[in-house]
Amino acid sequence: MDADRVCLTFNAGSSTLKIGIFDAGTGAARPIGKGKIDFDDSALVLRYWLGDDSFERPLSGDNGDRFAEVIEGSLDHLLAQLPPGSLKLASHRVVHGGLRFREAAALDAQTICDIEARVPLAPLPQPQALRVIRALQDLRPDILQTASFDTAFHATQDDLVRRLAIPRSLHDEGLRRYGFHGLSYKFIAGALKRQAPEAGGKVVAAHLGSGASLCALQGGISRDCSMGFSALDGIPMATRPGSLDPGALLYLMRKGTRDQSELEHFLYHACGMLGVSGISGDTRDLLKDVRPEAAQAIDLFCFRIASEIGRMSVTLGGLDAIVFTAGIGENQPEIRRRVAAHLRWMGLQLDDGRNEANITVISAPDSRIAALVIPTDEEQVIADEALAILRAG
């Protein structure tokens, strides 16, 4: 591997750490490898590919007090395959930038403090990113670190869209709709311009995975998002409920679910399609299962997606195209077919053969609305933003 300037991207979740490896020596971020650590494994392993080679390397440490050992071991393995001194840049996906961060930022002491101050806005994912940032600070103080924020892409939304019907003082202190999956939607907005400019200017992108949301795009700019103040809002997900009447939470509290951690676990891990089906939160499992509870979970998922597309058409004042992306959106034709069936009244018609083949344009020639499948790449956006900061500095 002859890369002389390498950028590593880190996407830290509660149970996984995804690492992107990019050659930044040509002035653009070119992907040359990827890695992943699954913290649910009994013995931690770094699985990665670099160029044409793939590797599995055991790691010491854990997802708790010895987390820094995981990062140290991962760096040792990765850098052993790269030219000495080639690591120049590390960039991180940070879920919440609040009102402070409207674009990617270089990480210094103040910026890290500002990210930490927003932990209450994203109490589960924000600390995961901070752990990686601090570990790299200690291990490689010589390299530039940057952060890319999932909320930043949605900062273009109008105040009317972002406002909750609560006292103004709470809105002013930050209790408002933010929107998430912004790095994915930024990639989709760019891909649309390159791959399908004919799709038009009013687009709803559906990022459908275990976490799922939709975004209304107008000319590549975010105008609305199904997720709001938190990543619990919007459509049902694998284990998250989506939109939920606050009265339901008051009811649960009266019934005895008073502990914050218990309620948090319920909302993040016991609801969504898992809760409805009682079987699984994975649409692949549910589509294969013949039990009526599985079918109902899938039906609810698809119905709510279609309903949200209708709502976003109001925000946009019309609709030219729908884009399906992320794990479910890119790979499950049956989910796309069921969503589209709810939208026939809008003039959406899929081409069955194209849909089954997962090709880019899946709408029928006479469909009034274009339907597309575009793979997303959040790591590419993170690397591109990091390289822009490096060049500007």
Side-chain angles (χ1 to χ4, degrees):
M1 187 61 60
D2 59 358
D4 61 355
R5 177 179 287 182
V6 170
C7 171
L8 296 181
T9 64
F10 293 88
N11 188 340
S14 59
S15 61
T16 62
L17 175 63
K18 298 176 184 177
I19 303 171
I21 310 165
F22 292 82
D23 177 4
T26 61
R30 181 175 64 86
I32 55 175
K34 284 189 177 182
K36 183 178 180 181
I37 303 164
D38 189 337
F39 291 108
D40 289 332
D41 290 343
S42 55
L44 295 186
V45 175
L46 171 66
R47 297 178 176 88
Y48 67 102
W49 63 264
L50 191 60
D52 296 325
D53 301 315
S54 59
F55 307 86
E56 286 195 14
R57 297 289 186 263
L59 295 170
S60 60
D62 56 36
N63 198 22
D65 293 338
R66 298 174 61 202
F67 181 80
E69 294 178 41
V70 176
I71 301 301
E72 183 175 19
S74 299
L75 282 180
D76 288 344
H77 290 310
L78 293 172
L79 297 182
Q81 309 297 324
L82 296 166
S86 59
L87 179 60
K88 304 296 185 185
L89 186 60
S91 187
H92 306 265
R93 173 184 176 238
V94 176
V95 167
H96 219 302
L99 302 177
R100 163 76 169 79
F101 297 102
R102 298 174 65 94
E103 58 187 14
L107 290 173
D108 55 22
Q110 183 59 56
T111 303
I112 294 171
C113 285
D114 289 343
I115 291 172
E116 187 171 25
R118 283 147 185 85
V119 166
L121 296 173
L124 296 185
Q126 202 89 339
Q128 305 297 336
L130 283 164
R131 290 196 306 168
V132 184
I133 290 168
R134 291 192 174 111
L136 281 169
Q137 261 190 321
D138 293 337
L139 293 166
R140 293 300 304 265
D142 56 309
I143 66 172
L144 173 67
Q145 292 197 74
T146 68
S148 293
F149 300 91
D150 256 332
T151 50
F153 183 70
H154 302 298
T156 52
Q157 294 175 7
D158 289 343
D159 178 74
L160 183 64
V161 172
R162 306 192 79 177
R163 186 173 287 272
L164 301 171
I166 57 175
R168 300 186 71 86
S169 59
L170 292 174
H171 174 84
D172 293 342
E173 74 177 50
L175 191 54
R176 62 183 69 194
R177 296 175 59 84
Y178 289 97
F180 298 90
H181 290 137
L183 299 173
S184 175
Y185 293 128
K186 183 174 182 178
F187 182 87
I188 294 301
L192 270 172
K193 291 179 181 178
R194 294 188 301 270
Q195 299 178 27
E198 74 282 358
K202 298 178 179 179
V203 178
V204 172
H207 177 107
L208 305 180
S210 58
S213 70
L214 291 88
C215 178
L217 298 166
Q218 187 165 16
I221 302 298
S222 175
R223 297 303 183 199
D224 203 344
C225 187
S226 61
M227 284 180 172
F229 175 71
S230 77
L232 292 167
D233 200 8
I235 62 174
M237 294 165 247
T239 60
R240 286 174 262 174
S243 297
L244 184 65
D245 186 336
L249 300 181
L250 295 175
Y251 170 81
L252 290 173
M253 293 171 69
R254 287 195 296 269
K255 290 275 289 183
T257 308
R258 301 173 187 270
D259 181 76
Q260 175 186 323
S261 61
E262 184 182 358
L263 193 58
E264 191 168 73
H265 183 273
F266 168 77
L267 290 171
Y268 278 96
H269 302 293
C271 294
M273 286 178 283
L274 173 62
V276 173
S277 69
I279 299 166
S280 173
D282 191 319
T283 54
R284 294 169 295 187
D285 296 336
L286 296 173
L287 285 169
K288 291 184 288 189
D289 199 296
V290 297
R291 283 172 282 184
E293 296 87 351
Q296 187 175 55
I298 291 292
D299 287 343
L300 180 62
F301 181 57
C302 296
F303 173 69
R304 294 299 184 194
I305 293 169
S307 299
E308 191 66 18
I309 290 171
R311 186 187 72 78
M312 290 192 172
S313 300
V314 174
T315 301
L316 293 170
L319 186 62
D320 298 312
I322 299 169
V323 176
F324 294 93
T325 193
I328 296 172
E330 295 168 22
N331 300 297
Q332 295 187 21
E334 180 61 16
I335 297 295
R336 298 192 299 258
R337 185 190 68 78
R338 294 192 189 197
V339 171
H342 289 294
L343 299 171
R344 289 191 187 115
W345 64 273
M346 296 180 72
L348 176 62
Q349 184 177 344
L350 298 190
D351 180 295
D352 291 339
R354 288 173 171 269
N355 185 43
E356 288 295 326
N358 292 325
I359 64 176
T360 301
V361 178
I362 60 172
S363 47
D366 56 348
S367 179
R368 291 206 301 269
I369 298 169
L372 303 98
V373 177
I374 299 179
T376 193
D377 192 339
E378 293 169 314
E379 282 74 24
Q380 184 67 59
V381 173
I382 297 169
D384 288 342
E385 291 186 342
L387 192 55
I389 291 172
L390 182 64
R391 286 196 298 261

